[in-house]
Amino acid sequence: MRMHVLEFLRDRFLLITLHLICMGILSAFLRLTGYGAANLMIVLIFWSILLCVWLSVTYIKRNKYFEEAGRILNKVDRRYLLGELLPESSRLEDRFYRDMIRRSNKSVIERIKQIETSEKEYREYIENWVHEVKAPITGISLLCENGRKLDHTSAFDMRELLRNISLENQRIENYVNMALYYARSENVYKDFIIRKTNLQEIAEDVLEKNRLLLIQNGVRAEVDCPDPAYTDGKWIAFVMDQMILNSVKYCNAQPVFLIRTRRKQDGVCLTVEDNGVGIRSEELSRIFEKGFTGSNGRTHERATGMGLYLCRKLCDKLGVRLQAESEYGRGTRMTLLFPVSNYIERESKKD
């Protein structure tokens, strides 16, 4: 990286012009005061020599500095570390630029680290997801194989076979949905529409979707959600679906699910409550962490620790507060708080 003389002089154009103006003013002043022309010429020549020497020394130093910086830049593999490797300089502006480059590079390095971490986490999740989804696929294959081996299949056996295949297919669909929403979770804002949402319909649709799974586990579900909320129904349906699947996964005998809403001063509160095994108090604060399965998850072969993590991540993106309360051995209550802005309240009153 070499600095050309003309570029250097062009950069110092204002300074050189100022010197020429000062030389002209000094010449006029000295002539008016009777200073001799020969003496005046000596002063101007001496001034010009000093200016040229100063410009030459400055050019040599700056050119040497930038050549050294260029050599360093060409040698290093990670050029974003240039701020740390720049040669020392006595000039204040060089120190300022070096400090700004360091800060900028630090920000870039942190961003690169975030992207690398995100890609690594996504790759690990996909690898785990592939292993998880293989289980229901294998289950469907075995069910189909057993069905072909039956010579005389009764209508009851056929219905049972189809029901089991539907259950395994539903598990595959749940895993696919989780992968899809995980992939979209970083850019939720591009795919959600906030509108008045009927939570009663959302809850009923989620229960209907998991009807076979609920029947298989003998779940009795009650829904009482008369209060609407301003949110995106599709994303909230996924969150509610993950909560119900989690409750089914850790349910006790005679499980009961209660899905209710109540209006509060600052919004609408939706709760999904079950009477399952519950969560230990020392683990409650960690259930939304990525990959955390807890003591309950260690006893369940399909626990991934991703469901509640995704729920919290999506709720944060949507501006919905997600909380959990639990008593070990008694059950768990998940709460979604949908805030209502002053603007929405005014518009609702107008309607």
Side-chain angles (χ1 to χ4, degrees), residues 114-131:
Q114 290 176 357
I115 294 174
E116 290 178 346
T117 302
S118 178
E119 290 181 351
K120 180 182 177 182
E121 291 177 350
Y122 186 70
R123 184 171 61 253
E124 291 175 350
Y125 171 71
I126 292 300
E127 291 173 356
N128 293 332
W129 179 87
V130 170
H131 290 293

Side-chain angles (χ1 to χ4, degrees), residues 174-239:
N174 290 334
Y175 285 129
V176 171
N177 282 337
M178 186 178 293
L180 179 63
Y181 280 88
Y182 184 91
R184 293 179 176 176
S185 62
E186 292 297 331
N187 298 306
V188 176
Y189 64 93
K190 294 182 179 180
D191 193 38
F192 74 81
I193 301 174
I194 301 298
R195 61 178 61 169
K196 192 174 183 178
T197 303
N198 190 324
L199 297 178
Q200 178 78 18
E201 291 183 0
I202 296 292
E204 290 175 352
D205 290 344
V206 172
L207 291 176
E208 177 61 25
K209 173 191 170 187
N210 296 285
R211 180 171 58 86
L212 292 177
L213 182 63
L214 298 176
I215 292 174
Q216 183 188 48
N217 289 273
V219 176
R220 179 170 63 87
E222 297 180 8
V223 180
D224 183 21
C225 303
D227 303 301
Y230 286 87
T231 187
D232 185 285
K234 181 180 69 174
W235 294 89
I236 292 302
F238 172 79
V239 171

Side-chain angles (χ1 to χ4, degrees), residues 69 73 78-79 85-86 95 116 134 193 211 257 297 315:
L73 185 62
R78 301 179 180 181
R79 296 187 175 183
L85 302 174
L86 280 175
R95 295 200 295 270
E116 290 178 346
K134 284 168 64 177
I193 301 174
R211 180 171 58 86
F257 295 168
C315 285

